[in-house]
Amino acid sequence: MDHTFRDKNIMIILCGSSMSFMENQVLGYNSPLYGRRTGQIKLLPFDYQLAGEFIKEQDPIQKMLLFAVADGIPQYLKYLAKSNCLEDEILDNFFETTGHLFEEPSSLLKQELREPANYFSILTAISLGKSRLNEIATGAGIENTTCSKYLKSLMDLRIIEREIPVGNEQKKNGIYRISDNCFLFWFRFINKNMTNIEFGNGRNVWEMIKEKHLSTYMGVIFEKASQQYLLKHIATLPIIPIEIGRWWGNNPIKKCQEEIDIVGISCEKQALFGECKWKNEKLDMDVVEELIRKSQLFSQYKEKYYYFFSKSGFTKSVQEYATAHSEIFLISLEDMYR
């Protein structure tokens, strides 16, 4: 490349799905290509809307479910979009030992990382609700310092993320969460039910998940999709946020912890606040009033806007309130896929 091909009309494109190999062996400091590349593209997963294009004819609930179990990985989406029945494909791919995705996260950890057992323990701990370094390390049976290095590797692979409350300038109070939907679904529901699935009880496991856990799980995914919606439509927002994400912290008046699904802040002392409801009933005024109350904790922002995302739409009173107040925006599940 430096001599023979230097003045030739030749372009070399290298592609690889193993991120650790591509970044360390192909592009790393000790690689012959170090400093010679003229471009680099890290292909990211599709967002929720593009993922839904794989089952274009399905309703928005099915599209969100597809995103919830496959994230935006094209190959996984392709597996699950083979027929017109998404549930059957979920059963075949996750809840059968012969399924494409039955062992996929476990296989990827073995392919990408040394000591996959330790990473497996860490992800299991996070899936069980451990979110802070010391909690995860204790749950995985690993020293804090070593655990911190493993967490960094998982973040580099975009399997987990460290989340900090929006507006926290000191970058403290951060928590770790699984950011890849497929990994989250697998560690939360498949990993703990391996024995049942291996004995042919996959359909019973899926029915139990649907009855007891799926709605809560979908609420988490809906929040993620709602954030993506705002980022996709940033040109139409009333503010230009420099930071957008979740917020949690102390309410000094009520002396309790508060959480807000979405907070976006700008340099101009403007803020937007979002509430996401994945419920079968329409979003009512109590939700609107609660979010407005919570936003009062951000007294430094004089201009505030409110976004409400709802799976099942909005009551008449909420619609009338939004019509009368220009700072209120209502986004239905159908709106998110238009």
Side-chain angles (χ1 to χ4, degrees):
M1 292 303 298
D2 290 344
H3 304 286
T4 306
F5 296 145
R6 184 173 182 177
D7 299 316
K8 304 292 184 182
N9 187 24
I10 290 176
M11 176 185 290
I12 291 181
I13 300 174
L14 299 177
C15 300
S17 60
S18 173
M19 287 179 62
S20 58
F21 177 78
M22 293 297 291
E23 292 184 349
N24 298 325
Q25 275 68 51
V26 177
L27 299 175
Y29 181 76
N30 294 319
S31 164
L33 292 181
Y34 181 77
R36 291 178 169 86
R37 68 183 185 269
T38 55
Q40 176 180 339
I41 300 174
K42 181 182 285 186
L43 290 177
L44 300 179
F46 292 146
D47 61 38
Y48 78 92
Q49 192 173 37
L50 286 174
E53 289 294 302
F54 278 75
I55 51 172
K56 191 178 295 187
E57 305 306 318
Q58 299 281 343
D59 66 65
I61 293 177
Q62 293 298 296
K63 290 181 180 182
M64 193 62 72
L65 176 59
L66 175 66
F67 179 63
V69 300
D71 205 282
I73 308 301
Q75 187 65 59
Y76 302 167
L77 295 166
K78 190 176 178 182
Y79 289 149
L80 295 166
K82 285 184 178 178
S83 73
N84 291 324
C85 184
L86 177 58
E87 279 201 40
D88 284 349
E89 298 301 335
I90 291 174
L91 281 166
D92 289 345
N93 280 279
F94 283 103
F95 294 89
E96 296 283 351
T97 55
T98 55
H100 291 294
L101 302 174
F102 174 65
E103 292 184 321
E104 178 70 3
S106 177
S107 299
L108 277 177
L109 292 177
K110 293 172 184 175
Q111 173 186 325
E112 290 281 354
L113 301 161
R114 297 175 183 175
E115 302 178 292
N118 287 333
Y119 291 96
F120 198 95
S121 298
I122 287 170
L123 288 167
T124 299
I126 296 175
S127 73
L128 293 174
K130 313 296 184 186
S131 59
R132 303 189 185 278
L133 174 60
N134 60 332
E135 295 175 343
I136 297 167
T138 302
I142 300 171
E143 291 291 330
N144 277 27
T145 305
T146 306
C147 185
S148 184
K149 294 177 182 177
Y150 289 143
L151 290 169
K152 173 66 167 57
S153 296
L154 289 171
M155 285 192 288
D156 289 342
L157 291 171
R158 300 179 68 88
I159 294 172
I160 69 169
E161 63 184 354
R162 184 170 182 263
E163 192 178 24
I164 298 166
V166 168
N168 188 329
E169 296 179 358
Q170 296 180 336
K171 305 302 181 187
K172 293 181 178 179
N173 199 27
I175 61 173
Y176 294 91
R177 59 191 288 179
I178 299 175
S179 55
D180 182 297
N181 296 350
C182 185
F183 270 78
L184 181 60
F185 182 79
W186 193 88
F187 272 93
R188 189 169 290 189
F189 300 123
I190 307 301
N191 181 39
K192 64 175 65 173
N193 289 296
M194 279 285 189
T195 302
N196 266 318
I197 296 171
E198 287 168 350
F199 274 89
N201 296 318
R203 182 173 291 276
N204 293 332
V205 172
W206 172 240
E207 292 299 329
M208 179 271 295
I209 291 168
K210 283 199 300 179
E211 180 183 348
K212 296 184 178 180
H213 306 292
L214 189 60
S215 181
T216 301
Y217 175 77
M218 290 299 296
V220 174
I221 304 302
F222 191 47
E223 284 183 24
K224 178 178 179 178
S226 299
Q227 284 191 28
Q228 290 184 356
Y229 174 90
L230 292 173
L231 291 169
K232 283 170 67 71
H233 295 83
I234 200 163
T236 65
L237 299 181
I239 72 171
I240 300 176
I242 56 171
E243 189 179 354
I244 191 166
R246 288 200 310 142
W247 177 87
W248 62 94
N250 183 53
N251 183 330
I253 299 173
K254 299 181 71 174
K255 293 183 171 51
C256 67
Q257 287 288 305
E258 300 271 23
E259 293 185 15
I260 302 178
D261 293 341
I262 300 174
V263 174
I265 56 176
S266 80
C267 297
E268 308 298 327
K269 293 300 179 183
Q270 303 164 306
L272 66 81
F273 303 89
E275 185 72 21
C276 311
K277 292 297 182 185
W278 186 267
K279 294 182 179 295
N280 292 328
E281 61 265 16
K282 293 182 178 182
L283 188 148
D284 207 350
M285 276 303 299
D286 61 324
V287 177
V288 176
E289 292 164 355
E290 179 73 358
L291 182 60
I292 293 173
R293 180 192 64 78
K294 289 179 182 178
S295 74
Q296 293 171 2
L297 294 169
F298 294 76
S299 57
Q300 69 272 39
Y301 297 97
K302 306 305 179 185
E303 193 176 320
K304 299 176 183 177
Y305 300 90
Y306 304 90
Y307 279 77
F308 296 91
F309 296 85
S310 174
K311 169 192 174 186
S312 303
F314 307 89
T315 63
K316 185 178 179 181
S317 59
V318 170
Q319 294 179 45
E320 290 174 347
Y321 188 83
T323 301
H325 295 79
S326 60
E327 72 276 17
I328 305 290
F329 297 85
L330 308 180
I331 313 295
S332 68
L333 184 59
E334 288 75 13
D335 293 332
M336 295 175 70
Y337 283 98
R338 289 196 179 101

